[in-house]
Amino acid sequence: MQKKYSPLKQFNLYWKEALRKKEPNAEYLYFATADRKKRPHVRTVLIKTVDKKGVGFVTQSLGPKTGQMRQSKYVEACVNWPKMKMQIRLGGKVAPMSNSVVKKLWKKRPREAQLLYSLGIPQSSPIPSYEYLLRRLSALAVQWRGKRKIPLSKYYVGFVIEPEMIEFLHHSQARLNLREHYRKTSKGWMKTILAP
Ligand SMILES: Cc1cc2nc3c(=O)[nH]c(=O)nc-3n(C[C@H](O)[C@H](O)[C@H](O)COP(=O)(O)O)c2cc1C
């Protein structure tokens, strides 16, 4: 039993290291949800925040993953940083990101991305064509021309994965991977070493 050790803090350190070392996909988080039939869905999102609660990302409120998170809060996510020879899995529940953080992240978005969110077309819904999207986007850009700031779209939402499980896999050529597995309990994080 390791009471003080926080694998989430360790995750944050590794993430900063990945950014420093310019891992090609340092911010990519392969994020899995389940639908109501318990079928898994996995896709890439970008890590936006890491703090003592968990790992945050943003998405569109009308998309499938947001619906799936409403049905089941249990999710799993994975990063893979080859320069560091490391895979990290995070499992747990998602919680909404705080409004103040969502607002801060919104301000950093490029204007075009803000406009796209403001259109409110449900993410992953079929559209007539790519040109249709561009037309809708430029029509909205005309509407907003000259106006300084685009207000926070109600379709721009953030979630935080609050891990109950974290596994650091240190990859080794000979398949002799070191797998450090942590599970959160009422007494703190329990560490186990897993067979590669
Ligand atoms: C590099 C990369 C980064 C992405 N980042 C995000 C993101 O941060 N949020 C998001 O909603 N979708 C992001 N996407 C798109 C998703 O992978 C996915 O296609 C989209 O969110 C629809 O997923 P859904 O239908 O399961 O909801 C990203 C895709 C790529 C390739």
PDB file of all heavy atoms in Angstrom, residues 152-178:
ATOM      1  N   LEU A 152     -18.710  32.062 -25.924  1.00  0.00           N
ATOM      2  CA  LEU A 152     -18.614  30.612 -25.665  1.00  0.00           C
ATOM      3  C   LEU A 152     -19.859  29.908 -26.191  1.00  0.00           C
ATOM      4  O   LEU A 152     -20.980  30.249 -25.817  1.00  0.00           O
ATOM      5  CB  LEU A 152     -18.476  30.400 -24.148  1.00  0.00           C
ATOM      6  CG  LEU A 152     -18.532  28.959 -23.645  1.00  0.00           C
ATOM      7  CD1 LEU A 152     -17.377  28.138 -24.183  1.00  0.00           C
ATOM      8  CD2 LEU A 152     -18.526  28.932 -22.121  1.00  0.00           C
ATOM      9  N   SER A 153     -19.630  28.908 -27.048  1.00  0.00           N
ATOM     10  CA  SER A 153     -20.757  28.154 -27.605  1.00  0.00           C
ATOM     11  C   SER A 153     -21.269  27.166 -26.574  1.00  0.00           C
ATOM     12  O   SER A 153     -20.488  26.527 -25.868  1.00  0.00           O
ATOM     13  CB  SER A 153     -20.288  27.411 -28.860  1.00  0.00           C
ATOM     14  OG  SER A 153     -21.204  26.399 -29.190  1.00  0.00           O
ATOM     15  N   LYS A 154     -22.593  27.005 -26.550  1.00  0.00           N
ATOM     16  CA  LYS A 154     -23.168  26.017 -25.611  1.00  0.00           C
ATOM     17  C   LYS A 154     -22.830  24.586 -26.043  1.00  0.00           C
ATOM     18  O   LYS A 154     -23.013  23.644 -25.294  1.00  0.00           O
ATOM     19  CB  LYS A 154     -24.674  26.209 -25.490  1.00  0.00           C
ATOM     20  CG  LYS A 154     -25.445  25.960 -26.753  1.00  0.00           C
ATOM     21  CD  LYS A 154     -26.940  26.112 -26.510  1.00  0.00           C
ATOM     22  CE  LYS A 154     -27.667  25.934 -27.823  1.00  0.00           C
ATOM     23  NZ  LYS A 154     -29.068  26.195 -27.779  1.00  0.00           N
ATOM     24  N   TYR A 155     -22.340  24.457 -27.278  1.00  0.00           N
ATOM     25  CA  TYR A 155     -21.990  23.114 -27.770  1.00  0.00           C
ATOM     26  C   TYR A 155     -20.560  22.716 -27.407  1.00  0.00           C
ATOM     27  O   TYR A 155     -20.133  21.608 -27.693  1.00  0.00           O
ATOM     28  CB  TYR A 155     -22.179  23.039 -29.287  1.00  0.00           C
ATOM     29  CG  TYR A 155     -23.555  23.460 -29.720  1.00  0.00           C
ATOM     30  CD1 TYR A 155     -23.755  24.630 -30.437  1.00  0.00           C
ATOM     31  CD2 TYR A 155     -24.666  22.696 -29.370  1.00  0.00           C
ATOM     32  CE1 TYR A 155     -25.028  25.036 -30.817  1.00  0.00           C
ATOM     33  CE2 TYR A 155     -25.943  23.091 -29.734  1.00  0.00           C
ATOM     34  CZ  TYR A 155     -26.109  24.267 -30.454  1.00  0.00           C
ATOM     35  OH  TYR A 155     -27.371  24.658 -30.806  1.00  0.00           O
ATOM     36  N   TYR A 156     -19.827  23.644 -26.829  1.00  0.00           N
ATOM     37  CA  TYR A 156     -18.419  23.383 -26.461  1.00  0.00           C
ATOM     38  C   TYR A 156     -18.405  22.935 -24.999  1.00  0.00           C
ATOM     39  O   TYR A 156     -18.711  23.719 -24.097  1.00  0.00           O
ATOM     40  CB  TYR A 156     -17.622  24.672 -26.641  1.00  0.00           C
ATOM     41  CG  TYR A 156     -16.135  24.571 -26.420  1.00  0.00           C
ATOM     42  CD1 TYR A 156     -15.304  23.974 -27.359  1.00  0.00           C
ATOM     43  CD2 TYR A 156     -15.550  25.098 -25.272  1.00  0.00           C
ATOM     44  CE1 TYR A 156     -13.938  23.917 -27.171  1.00  0.00           C
ATOM     45  CE2 TYR A 156     -14.178  25.038 -25.076  1.00  0.00           C
ATOM     46  CZ  TYR A 156     -13.380  24.438 -26.032  1.00  0.00           C
ATOM     47  OH  TYR A 156     -12.017  24.386 -25.838  1.00  0.00           O
ATOM     48  N   VAL A 157     -18.093  21.668 -24.787  1.00  0.00           N
ATOM     49  CA  VAL A 157     -18.151  21.126 -23.416  1.00  0.00           C
ATOM     50  C   VAL A 157     -16.852  20.389 -23.081  1.00  0.00           C
ATOM     51  O   VAL A 157     -16.139  19.932 -23.977  1.00  0.00           O
ATOM     52  CB  VAL A 157     -19.357  20.160 -23.231  1.00  0.00           C
ATOM     53  CG1 VAL A 157     -20.671  20.915 -23.256  1.00  0.00           C
ATOM     54  CG2 VAL A 157     -19.352  19.050 -24.280  1.00  0.00           C
ATOM     55  N   GLY A 158     -16.575  20.297 -21.811  1.00  0.00           N
ATOM     56  CA  GLY A 158     -15.358  19.613 -21.373  1.00  0.00           C
ATOM     57  C   GLY A 158     -15.675  18.549 -20.341  1.00  0.00           C
ATOM     58  O   GLY A 158     -16.669  18.655 -19.608  1.00  0.00           O
ATOM     59  N   PHE A 159     -14.842  17.533 -20.332  1.00  0.00           N
ATOM     60  CA  PHE A 159     -14.988  16.445 -19.360  1.00  0.00           C
ATOM     61  C   PHE A 159     -13.629  16.136 -18.747  1.00  0.00           C
ATOM     62  O   PHE A 159     -12.596  16.355 -19.374  1.00  0.00           O
ATOM     63  CB  PHE A 159     -15.528  15.181 -20.037  1.00  0.00           C
ATOM     64  CG  PHE A 159     -16.936  15.341 -20.532  1.00  0.00           C
ATOM     65  CD1 PHE A 159     -17.184  15.782 -21.828  1.00  0.00           C
ATOM     66  CD2 PHE A 159     -18.014  15.096 -19.694  1.00  0.00           C
ATOM     67  CE1 PHE A 159     -18.481  15.957 -22.285  1.00  0.00           C
ATOM     68  CE2 PHE A 159     -19.314  15.265 -20.134  1.00  0.00           C
ATOM     69  CZ  PHE A 159     -19.551  15.695 -21.434  1.00  0.00           C
ATOM     70  N   VAL A 160     -13.685  15.606 -17.534  1.00  0.00           N
ATOM     71  CA  VAL A 160     -12.451  15.193 -16.863  1.00  0.00           C
ATOM     72  C   VAL A 160     -12.574  13.705 -16.538  1.00  0.00           C
ATOM     73  O   VAL A 160     -13.558  13.275 -15.916  1.00  0.00           O
ATOM     74  CB  VAL A 160     -12.235  16.007 -15.558  1.00  0.00           C
ATOM     75  CG1 VAL A 160     -10.999  15.515 -14.829  1.00  0.00           C
ATOM     76  CG2 VAL A 160     -12.117  17.497 -15.869  1.00  0.00           C
ATOM     77  N   ILE A 161     -11.588  12.945 -16.981  1.00  0.00           N
ATOM     78  CA  ILE A 161     -11.538  11.524 -16.615  1.00  0.00           C
ATOM     79  C   ILE A 161     -10.911  11.457 -15.234  1.00  0.00           C
ATOM     80  O   ILE A 161      -9.760  11.864 -15.051  1.00  0.00           O
ATOM     81  CB  ILE A 161     -10.685  10.717 -17.619  1.00  0.00           C
ATOM     82  CG1 ILE A 161     -11.194  10.910 -19.041  1.00  0.00           C
ATOM     83  CG2 ILE A 161     -10.646   9.238 -17.245  1.00  0.00           C
ATOM     84  CD1 ILE A 161     -10.235  10.384 -20.117  1.00  0.00           C
ATOM     85  N   GLU A 162     -11.673  10.970 -14.283  1.00  0.00           N
ATOM     86  CA  GLU A 162     -11.155  10.847 -12.912  1.00  0.00           C
ATOM     87  C   GLU A 162     -10.767   9.384 -12.693  1.00  0.00           C
ATOM     88  O   GLU A 162     -11.623   8.532 -12.438  1.00  0.00           O
ATOM     89  CB  GLU A 162     -12.218  11.310 -11.911  1.00  0.00           C
ATOM     90  CG  GLU A 162     -12.584  12.775 -12.113  1.00  0.00           C
ATOM     91  CD  GLU A 162     -13.627  13.308 -11.140  1.00  0.00           C
ATOM     92  OE1 GLU A 162     -14.244  12.513 -10.399  1.00  0.00           O
ATOM     93  OE2 GLU A 162     -13.813  14.535 -11.136  1.00  0.00           O
ATOM     94  N   PRO A 163      -9.488   9.091 -12.829  1.00  0.00           N
ATOM     95  CA  PRO A 163      -9.094   7.681 -12.880  1.00  0.00           C
ATOM     96  C   PRO A 163      -9.215   6.945 -11.544  1.00  0.00           C
ATOM     97  O   PRO A 163      -8.937   7.508 -10.492  1.00  0.00           O
ATOM     98  CB  PRO A 163      -7.631   7.712 -13.334  1.00  0.00           C
ATOM     99  CG  PRO A 163      -7.233   9.113 -13.411  1.00  0.00           C
ATOM    100  CD  PRO A 163      -8.349   9.986 -12.976  1.00  0.00           C
ATOM    101  N   GLU A 164      -9.648   5.711 -11.683  1.00  0.00           N
ATOM    102  CA  GLU A 164      -9.651   4.781 -10.544  1.00  0.00           C
ATOM    103  C   GLU A 164      -8.612   3.698 -10.807  1.00  0.00           C
ATOM    104  O   GLU A 164      -8.311   2.883  -9.950  1.00  0.00           O
ATOM    105  CB  GLU A 164     -11.029   4.130 -10.399  1.00  0.00           C
ATOM    106  CG  GLU A 164     -12.107   5.140 -10.064  1.00  0.00           C
ATOM    107  CD  GLU A 164     -13.527   4.610 -10.249  1.00  0.00           C
ATOM    108  OE1 GLU A 164     -13.690   3.435 -10.632  1.00  0.00           O
ATOM    109  OE2 GLU A 164     -14.457   5.379 -10.018  1.00  0.00           O
ATOM    110  N   MET A 165      -8.108   3.679 -12.030  1.00  0.00           N
ATOM    111  CA  MET A 165      -7.066   2.720 -12.434  1.00  0.00           C
ATOM    112  C   MET A 165      -6.077   3.446 -13.349  1.00  0.00           C
ATOM    113  O   MET A 165      -6.482   4.203 -14.230  1.00  0.00           O
ATOM    114  CB  MET A 165      -7.725   1.545 -13.189  1.00  0.00           C
ATOM    115  CG  MET A 165      -6.775   0.471 -13.686  1.00  0.00           C
ATOM    116  SD  MET A 165      -5.833   0.876 -15.176  1.00  0.00           S
ATOM    117  CE  MET A 165      -7.096   0.930 -16.439  1.00  0.00           C
ATOM    118  N   ILE A 166      -4.814   3.254 -13.079  1.00  0.00           N
ATOM    119  CA  ILE A 166      -3.771   3.785 -13.970  1.00  0.00           C
ATOM    120  C   ILE A 166      -2.711   2.703 -14.133  1.00  0.00           C
ATOM    121  O   ILE A 166      -2.276   2.108 -13.135  1.00  0.00           O
ATOM    122  CB  ILE A 166      -3.115   5.070 -13.393  1.00  0.00           C
ATOM    123  CG1 ILE A 166      -4.173   6.169 -13.200  1.00  0.00           C
ATOM    124  CG2 ILE A 166      -1.988   5.565 -14.300  1.00  0.00           C
ATOM    125  CD1 ILE A 166      -3.622   7.516 -12.732  1.00  0.00           C
ATOM    126  N   GLU A 167      -2.346   2.452 -15.389  1.00  0.00           N
ATOM    127  CA  GLU A 167      -1.273   1.477 -15.609  1.00  0.00           C
ATOM    128  C   GLU A 167      -0.173   2.092 -16.476  1.00  0.00           C
ATOM    129  O   GLU A 167      -0.437   2.563 -17.584  1.00  0.00           O
ATOM    130  CB  GLU A 167      -1.795   0.215 -16.310  1.00  0.00           C
ATOM    131  CG  GLU A 167      -0.686  -0.823 -16.458  1.00  0.00           C
ATOM    132  CD  GLU A 167      -0.924  -1.837 -17.560  1.00  0.00           C
ATOM    133  OE1 GLU A 167      -2.065  -2.253 -17.787  1.00  0.00           O
ATOM    134  OE2 GLU A 167       0.082  -2.216 -18.204  1.00  0.00           O
ATOM    135  N   PHE A 168       1.031   2.086 -15.943  1.00  0.00           N
ATOM    136  CA  PHE A 168       2.209   2.526 -16.702  1.00  0.00           C
ATOM    137  C   PHE A 168       2.864   1.281 -17.284  1.00  0.00           C
ATOM    138  O   PHE A 168       3.275   0.399 -16.519  1.00  0.00           O
ATOM    139  CB  PHE A 168       3.212   3.236 -15.794  1.00  0.00           C
ATOM    140  CG  PHE A 168       2.639   4.429 -15.076  1.00  0.00           C
ATOM    141  CD1 PHE A 168       2.388   4.395 -13.711  1.00  0.00           C
ATOM    142  CD2 PHE A 168       2.346   5.603 -15.770  1.00  0.00           C
ATOM    143  CE1 PHE A 168       1.847   5.493 -13.045  1.00  0.00           C
ATOM    144  CE2 PHE A 168       1.809   6.709 -15.114  1.00  0.00           C
ATOM    145  CZ  PHE A 168       1.562   6.645 -13.751  1.00  0.00           C
ATOM    146  N   LEU A 169       2.947   1.231 -18.596  1.00  0.00           N
ATOM    147  CA  LEU A 169       3.663   0.108 -19.227  1.00  0.00           C
ATOM    148  C   LEU A 169       4.943   0.651 -19.835  1.00  0.00           C
ATOM    149  O   LEU A 169       4.891   1.517 -20.724  1.00  0.00           O
ATOM    150  CB  LEU A 169       2.786  -0.559 -20.289  1.00  0.00           C
ATOM    151  CG  LEU A 169       3.408  -1.782 -20.988  1.00  0.00           C
ATOM    152  CD1 LEU A 169       2.329  -2.777 -21.414  1.00  0.00           C
ATOM    153  CD2 LEU A 169       4.273  -1.408 -22.184  1.00  0.00           C
ATOM    154  N   HIS A 170       6.069   0.185 -19.318  1.00  0.00           N
ATOM    155  CA  HIS A 170       7.377   0.588 -19.848  1.00  0.00           C
ATOM    156  C   HIS A 170       7.770  -0.479 -20.852  1.00  0.00           C
ATOM    157  O   HIS A 170       8.066  -1.611 -20.463  1.00  0.00           O
ATOM    158  CB  HIS A 170       8.399   0.706 -18.708  1.00  0.00           C
ATOM    159  CG  HIS A 170       7.917   1.606 -17.603  1.00  0.00           C
ATOM    160  ND1 HIS A 170       8.216   2.943 -17.546  1.00  0.00           N
ATOM    161  CD2 HIS A 170       7.139   1.344 -16.519  1.00  0.00           C
ATOM    162  CE1 HIS A 170       7.648   3.475 -16.473  1.00  0.00           C
ATOM    163  NE2 HIS A 170       6.990   2.529 -15.830  1.00  0.00           N
ATOM    164  N   HIS A 171       7.737  -0.090 -22.112  1.00  0.00           N
ATOM    165  CA  HIS A 171       7.907  -1.085 -23.167  1.00  0.00           C
ATOM    166  C   HIS A 171       9.362  -1.484 -23.339  1.00  0.00           C
ATOM    167  O   HIS A 171      10.259  -0.643 -23.289  1.00  0.00           O
ATOM    168  CB  HIS A 171       7.355  -0.519 -24.483  1.00  0.00           C
ATOM    169  CG  HIS A 171       7.278  -1.518 -25.571  1.00  0.00           C
ATOM    170  ND1 HIS A 171       7.956  -1.392 -26.748  1.00  0.00           N
ATOM    171  CD2 HIS A 171       6.597  -2.677 -25.644  1.00  0.00           C
ATOM    172  CE1 HIS A 171       7.697  -2.441 -27.505  1.00  0.00           C
ATOM    173  NE2 HIS A 171       6.862  -3.225 -26.860  1.00  0.00           N
ATOM    174  N   SER A 172       9.548  -2.777 -23.539  1.00  0.00           N
ATOM    175  CA  SER A 172      10.905  -3.278 -23.725  1.00  0.00           C
ATOM    176  C   SER A 172      10.911  -4.186 -24.947  1.00  0.00           C
ATOM    177  O   SER A 172       9.942  -4.923 -25.190  1.00  0.00           O
ATOM    178  CB  SER A 172      11.308  -4.025 -22.455  1.00  0.00           C
ATOM    179  OG  SER A 172      12.174  -5.067 -22.765  1.00  0.00           O
ATOM    180  N   GLN A 173      11.979  -4.088 -25.736  1.00  0.00           N
ATOM    181  CA  GLN A 173      12.051  -4.814 -27.015  1.00  0.00           C
ATOM    182  C   GLN A 173      11.756  -6.299 -26.848  1.00  0.00           C
ATOM    183  O   GLN A 173      11.052  -6.885 -27.631  1.00  0.00           O
ATOM    184  CB  GLN A 173      13.440  -4.636 -27.640  1.00  0.00           C
ATOM    185  CG  GLN A 173      13.675  -3.289 -28.284  1.00  0.00           C
ATOM    186  CD  GLN A 173      12.682  -2.978 -29.398  1.00  0.00           C
ATOM    187  OE1 GLN A 173      11.809  -3.757 -29.715  1.00  0.00           O
ATOM    188  NE2 GLN A 173      12.820  -1.803 -29.990  1.00  0.00           N
ATOM    189  N   ALA A 174      12.314  -6.880 -25.801  1.00  0.00           N
ATOM    190  CA  ALA A 174      12.219  -8.330 -25.647  1.00  0.00           C
ATOM    191  C   ALA A 174      10.879  -8.764 -25.033  1.00  0.00           C
ATOM    192  O   ALA A 174      10.749  -9.879 -24.552  1.00  0.00           O
ATOM    193  CB  ALA A 174      13.371  -8.830 -24.786  1.00  0.00           C
ATOM    194  N   ARG A 175       9.920  -7.826 -25.071  1.00  0.00           N
ATOM    195  CA  ARG A 175       8.580  -8.094 -24.523  1.00  0.00           C
ATOM    196  C   ARG A 175       8.576  -8.203 -22.995  1.00  0.00           C
ATOM    197  O   ARG A 175       7.594  -8.571 -22.387  1.00  0.00           O
ATOM    198  CB  ARG A 175       8.011  -9.384 -25.151  1.00  0.00           C
ATOM    199  CG  ARG A 175       6.494  -9.496 -25.057  1.00  0.00           C
ATOM    200  CD  ARG A 175       6.015 -10.840 -25.592  1.00  0.00           C
ATOM    201  NE  ARG A 175       4.694 -11.161 -25.087  1.00  0.00           N
ATOM    202  CZ  ARG A 175       4.485 -11.724 -23.920  1.00  0.00           C
ATOM    203  NH1 ARG A 175       5.487 -12.021 -23.126  1.00  0.00           N
ATOM    204  NH2 ARG A 175       3.253 -12.000 -23.525  1.00  0.00           N
ATOM    205  N   LEU A 176       9.712  -7.823 -22.438  1.00  0.00           N
ATOM    206  CA  LEU A 176       9.836  -7.907 -20.983  1.00  0.00           C
ATOM    207  C   LEU A 176       9.332  -6.585 -20.370  1.00  0.00           C
ATOM    208  O   LEU A 176      10.053  -5.882 -19.677  1.00  0.00           O
ATOM    209  CB  LEU A 176      11.314  -8.140 -20.648  1.00  0.00           C
ATOM    210  CG  LEU A 176      11.622  -8.902 -19.360  1.00  0.00           C
ATOM    211  CD1 LEU A 176      11.056 -10.310 -19.420  1.00  0.00           C
ATOM    212  CD2 LEU A 176      13.126  -8.952 -19.151  1.00  0.00           C
ATOM    213  N   ASN A 177       8.098  -6.278 -20.686  1.00  0.00           N
ATOM    214  CA  ASN A 177       7.550  -4.984 -20.263  1.00  0.00           C
ATOM    215  C   ASN A 177       7.339  -4.930 -18.748  1.00  0.00           C
ATOM    216  O   ASN A 177       6.867  -5.894 -18.156  1.00  0.00           O
ATOM    217  CB  ASN A 177       6.207  -4.725 -20.948  1.00  0.00           C
ATOM    218  CG  ASN A 177       6.300  -4.855 -22.445  1.00  0.00           C
ATOM    219  OD1 ASN A 177       7.321  -4.493 -23.027  1.00  0.00           O
ATOM    220  ND2 ASN A 177       5.271  -5.385 -23.077  1.00  0.00           N
ATOM    221  N   LEU A 178       7.676  -3.759 -18.209  1.00  0.00           N
ATOM    222  CA  LEU A 178       7.345  -3.533 -16.800  1.00  0.00           C
ATOM    223  C   LEU A 178       5.972  -2.880 -16.768  1.00  0.00           C
ATOM    224  O   LEU A 178       5.765  -1.805 -17.363  1.00  0.00           O
ATOM    225  CB  LEU A 178       8.393  -2.608 -16.159  1.00  0.00           C
ATOM    226  CG  LEU A 178       8.015  -2.011 -14.795  1.00  0.00           C
ATOM    227  CD1 LEU A 178       7.749  -3.100 -13.756  1.00  0.00           C
ATOM    228  CD2 LEU A 178       9.098  -1.052 -14.312  1.00  0.00           C
TER     229      LEU A 178
END
